[in-house]
Amino acid sequence: MTPPLQKVFDISVVLGLHAAAYPGDTPYSRDLTSSMAAGSSCDVSTITMCAHSGTHIDSPAHFIAGGKTIDEYPVTDFIRPALVVSVEGRESILPQDLEGLSIDAGDALLFRTDNSVLGLPRNPVFSERYVSLSPAAAQRCVAMGVGLVGIDCVSVDGFGDESYPVHHILLGNGILVLEGIDLNHVPPGRYTLCCLPLMLAQCEASPVRAILWHSAPR
């Protein structure tokens, strides 16, 4: 029997309300192609957006030629133990911010930074200034055997670095990347993460509805 959930944290942002588009990405938009208000029998929406809109997950195919696409993963890869850590007062996350962390191989590591405190994940206006992951910290994640890295901003890489070193390091080592999460209301600690993508054929990313929960003691 599945143990009951004590509390569920929704760490997703709302498309169409929050979630600024990264420069160059197609912004989210919704149009009614059928409307009951206009006399139709039902409402039908057409949605246009980038696969990296809002809270989303990147697979290796995003930056690695021949890398795995979203549909090549079993659904269980998007449900895994997670550790939420708080990193405050940094322009970027550094290797020393990972010192002393205890995490099992394959677990998710989610970074709660000043981005969440300042409300950047929920701001519909893009800001070039956000806390990102340093390449050295990304290498540390690889050495620790982390299976998924999540961050509370639009990109694990700092804005303006078009070589995207952090994406290459993480995705090149098979580490999934979860971006655009909102951790402002989530205390640091251990959780179960669920971030199911859409089943998109041959796609490198997908928006997700990401949640965290504590499992009740058995």
Side-chain angles (χ1 to χ4, degrees), residues 9 37 45 89 128 147 162 166 195 209:
F9 294 93
S45 300
E128 296 181 0
E162 296 187 359
V166 177
C195 53
R209 184 68 177 266

Side-chain angles (χ1 to χ4, degrees), residues 112-159:
R112 181 186 186 275
T113 74
D114 291 344
N115 297 325
S116 286
V117 177
L118 297 173
L120 291 186
R122 304 180 302 281
N123 191 339
V125 180
F126 178 79
S127 172
E128 296 181 0
R129 298 191 63 179
Y130 54 83
V131 182
S132 57
L133 200 66
S134 69
Q139 292 284 13
R140 179 63 181 150
C141 289
V142 174
M144 293 168 63
V146 172
L148 181 152
V149 167
I151 196 166
D152 52 357
C153 61
V154 293
S155 176
V156 288
D157 277 294
F159 183 75

Side-chain angles (χ1 to χ4, degrees), residues 11-13 19 53-57 178-182 206-210:
I11 59 172
S12 310
V13 297
S53 294
T55 305
H56 68 278
I57 194 161
L178 179 63
E179 296 169 324
I181 54 178
D182 180 11
S206 171
V208 301
R209 184 68 177 266

Side-chain angles (χ1 to χ4, degrees), residues 5-6 10 13 15 21 30 41 67 71-72 76 83 87 101-102 127 142 163 165 168 172 190:
L5 304 183
Q6 291 182 316
D10 191 342
V13 297
L15 287 167
R30 171 182 172 263
S41 60
D71 56 314
E72 293 181 301
T76 49
L83 177 64
V87 179
L101 295 182
S102 177
S127 172
V142 174
S163 65
H168 279 96
R190 298 188 182 278

Side-chain angles (χ1 to χ4, degrees), residues 5 9 79-83 110 190-194 211-215:
L5 304 183
F9 294 93
I79 306 170
R80 62 178 74 209
L83 177 64
L110 309 184
R190 298 188 182 278
Y191 298 87
T192 297
L193 167 70
C194 180
I211 61 173
L212 293 169
W213 71 83
H214 290 295
S215 294

Side-chain angles (χ1 to χ4, degrees), residues 20-101:
Y22 194 86
D25 287 354
T26 302
Y28 171 90
S29 64
R30 171 182 172 263
D31 297 307
L32 279 171
T33 54
S34 176
S35 169
M36 289 183 284
S40 298
S41 60
C42 61
D43 281 0
V44 177
S45 300
T46 294
I47 294 173
T48 303
M49 63 179 173
C50 175
H52 303 262
S53 294
T55 305
H56 68 278
I57 194 161
D58 294 343
S59 74
H62 183 28
F63 275 97
I64 307 303
K68 290 178 69 172
T69 55
I70 286 294
D71 56 314
E72 293 181 301
Y73 285 86
V75 70
T76 49
D77 280 0
F78 305 106
I79 306 170
R80 62 178 74 209
L83 177 64
V84 175
V85 297
S86 180
V87 179
E88 298 179 356
R90 298 280 197 201
E91 292 185 0
S92 65
I93 299 164
L94 303 175
Q96 52 263 43
D97 297 317
L98 283 71
E99 289 181 2
L101 295 182

